[in-house]
Amino acid sequence: GPRHYCFHPTLDILYFSNEQGCSVTGYRLDTSTGTLSPFQTITTLPDGYTETNTCSQIQISPSGKFLYAGNRGHNSIAGFSVDASTGRLTTIGQAATEAVPSAFSLDPEGNFLFAAGSESGRLASYRINGDTGELTPLETYSVGQRPSDVLMTNLGG
């Protein structure tokens, strides 16, 4: 059950979050035919987790070094490092977040991640470690009932 996808910024690769499969699948894109070929599927959950979960959004950092997917049920953001030449993913881990993280977004520079908890009505903020991709919790903000989208933009300066 693919739900959302994102393109790698420099490689001919797409990544899909698999809503029912609790995983991410990487596909090579043949730009001459438009066809996709899967090359990896990796879980978004920690070993041993058996409770109900579905995946939500997926986003890749502007540098292409890190990829993130939301876990609704485990209530976490799964992080992955991305191999620069092959696009293969390696698990960084899961960062706890607000209940039912249906929407999240990275800032345009890839330094911060904001995740909305559709059940909690709160927005959690994280600093992204530029070397490891790990998420460090910062603040949480009340944003009202059932937030459904998070959009980060550069307002100039």
Side-chain angles (χ1 to χ4, degrees):
R3 179 169 176 91
H4 291 277
Y5 67 92
C6 61
F7 286 89
H8 190 283
T10 59
L11 302 173
D12 290 332
I13 293 176
L14 279 88
Y15 298 97
F16 282 84
S17 64
N18 300 310
E19 184 172 25
Q20 291 89 15
C22 302
S23 59
V24 170
T25 300
Y27 293 85
R28 297 197 193 297
L29 170 63
D30 183 326
T31 57
S32 63
T33 63
T35 57
L36 299 174
S37 303
F39 66 89
Q40 181 187 23
T41 297
I42 187 169
T43 185
T44 60
L45 295 169
D47 289 341
Y49 186 80
T50 59
E51 303 297 317
T52 301
N53 185 75
T54 58
C55 286
S56 60
Q57 282 189 288
I58 187 169
Q59 293 200 8
I60 194 164
S61 62
S63 66
K65 289 174 58 175
F66 309 112
L67 182 133
Y68 301 93
N71 281 312
R72 299 175 296 186
H74 187 255
N75 296 328
S76 64
I77 303 295
F80 303 90
S81 61
V82 182
D83 183 277
S85 59
T86 67
R88 289 189 64 82
L89 304 175
T90 302
T91 299
I92 295 170
Q94 296 78 22
T97 196
E98 294 295 309
V100 190
S102 295
F104 70 91
S105 189
L106 281 67
D107 76 291
E109 287 78 36
N111 296 317
F112 299 96
L113 183 147
F114 291 84
S118 62
E119 221 172 79
S120 71
R122 296 180 59 80
L123 183 73
S125 61
Y126 303 86
R127 179 177 306 282
I128 299 172
N129 181 307
D131 294 324
T132 67
E134 291 182 60
L135 301 178
T136 301
L138 298 173
E139 300 288 329
T140 58
Y141 308 91
S142 181
V143 293
Q145 293 182 329
R146 300 198 53 79
S148 62
D149 291 296
V150 177
L151 175 63
M152 298 294 295
T153 187
N154 187 340
L155 298 176

